[in-house]
Amino acid sequence: MKFTSLLVAAAAGSLAAPAMAQDRDTAEDFNGPYIGVVGGYTVQPNDGHETLTFDTDLDGTFGDPVNTAGGTNAFSPGFCGGGATGTANRDCTSDKDGAEYMARLGYDKRMGNFVVGAVLEGGRSEARDSVSGFSTTPASYTISREADWQAGARLRAGYTPGGGVLFYATGGGAFAKMDNRFATTNSANSFSDNGKTNAWGYSAGGGAEAMLTKNVSLGLEYLYTDLKDDDYTVAVGQGTAPDTNPFGEGTDIKRSDPHFRTHSVRASVNFRF
């Protein structure tokens, strides 16, 4: 509800800005440096197709089958794109969407009615992406990830019909320090992981920005982000499990899809110097 109110306020500001701009010179709008704060909401696309993938011979190649002593698929109950709530029937919670908050520093150059610029941004999102697998033991295995913090460096280019309001497209590189976690109901094998990882990718989108006063602007923006994070691995040891356990003396686990994709709708308040 708070975010909806923020979007309504931003839209109202965008509509009001042209009228306000009539009372001042708009020739220097969207020209020069600025700082700002961003608040929004992050949504993940449906990734129910994702699974866990295994390297049972520890040769660095994933996709090996995990079989029981009888030669059957130990993960025949299947997988789900979320966090496990039990040990069978692929019962899972949905991935978590959530708020995001950023700070930004930018610079625009206006050339007539056209504007080009660059923006640096940093902050975090509360979105969490999980995948779970279920074995015939029965047991559940869940890998989750979320951005501990993230940053982006983008270009943007747009058009302002005489000042007051800018319509633009934006795109560039993105980075996140991913906080990865593993949980299982299997208490026989041993498990270790490599914790936080680096994810690199890109962001692209567009939006509108409206000058409310000579120095303050309000913006609305959509941003799609795709981060590749394929370094997180869970190492399974034999632990107290018998020699005939499906993981053998050792198996590595990864998630099948290394991409962390998000859609964000955000509002910004910017101060221009």
Side-chain angles (χ1 to χ4, degrees):
M1 183 63 70
K2 291 182 179 179
F3 181 62
T4 301
S5 300
L6 182 61
L7 291 182
V8 171
S14 296
L15 294 174
M20 297 173 65
Q22 294 176 2
D23 300 329
R24 60 184 178 79
D25 181 10
T26 62
E28 290 301 313
D29 285 348
F30 313 111
N31 192 40
Y34 62 92
I35 58 174
V37 292
V38 179
Y41 197 76
T42 302
V43 176
Q44 300 172 75
N46 186 354
D47 56 359
H49 64 281
E50 190 177 10
T51 68
L52 300 178
T53 185
F54 307 93
D55 175 15
T56 57
D57 54 13
L58 304 180
D59 64 353
T61 301
F62 287 78
D64 299 335
V66 178
N67 294 326
T68 66
T72 60
N73 180 6
F75 280 83
S76 58
F79 305 89
C80 70
T85 58
T87 59
N89 300 322
R90 292 187 295 175
D91 292 330
C92 284
T93 61
S94 299
D95 285 336
K96 177 188 173 184
D97 302 327
E100 67 171 51
Y101 29 92
M102 305 277 178
R104 62 168 46 164
L105 172 66
Y107 186 90
D108 286 330
K109 175 65 177 178
R110 181 169 170 180
M111 298 169 288
N113 287 353
F114 294 94
V115 176
V116 294
V119 59
L120 299 174
E121 197 170 74
R124 69 161 298 169
S125 165
E126 301 290 345
R128 183 184 306 120
D129 179 26
S130 301
V131 58
S132 298
F134 301 87
S135 66
T136 54
T137 318
S140 65
Y141 307 79
T142 299
I143 292 178
S144 300
R145 62 185 169 195
E146 61 184 290
D148 191 33
W149 60 271
Q150 59 193 87
R154 301 189 304 275
L155 299 177
R156 73 175 190 168
Y159 178 81
T160 176
V165 178
L166 172 68
F167 302 94
Y168 65 89
T170 184
F175 170 83
K177 176 66 74 172
M178 302 301 297
D179 185 4
N180 302 283
R181 300 182 183 183
F182 175 74
T184 181
T185 60
N186 177 344
S187 59
N189 290 98
S190 62
F191 300 89
S192 62
D193 64 7
N194 56 336
K196 295 182 179 182
T197 54
N198 297 325
W200 298 88
Y202 68 92
S203 295
E209 186 178 339
M211 298 300 302
L212 300 183
T213 69
K214 179 181 178 181
N215 301 106
V216 178
S217 67
L218 195 63
L220 281 174
E221 186 175 75
Y222 161 78
L223 201 66
Y224 171 77
T225 301
D226 186 338
L227 296 166
K228 187 175 182 180
D229 172 33
D230 60 358
D231 294 330
Y232 181 69
T233 303
V234 177
V236 187
Q238 183 173 343
T240 60
D243 294 340
T244 55
N245 82 93
F247 294 120
E249 295 182 358
T251 293
D252 286 345
I253 306 175
K254 277 189 174 184
R255 52 196 313 159
S256 63
D257 187 355
H259 292 274
F260 183 51
R261 303 177 181 90
T262 57
H263 301 271
S264 299
V265 179
R266 44 224 313 260
S268 66
V269 179
N270 308 288
F271 181 83
R272 291 181 170 272
F273 298 95

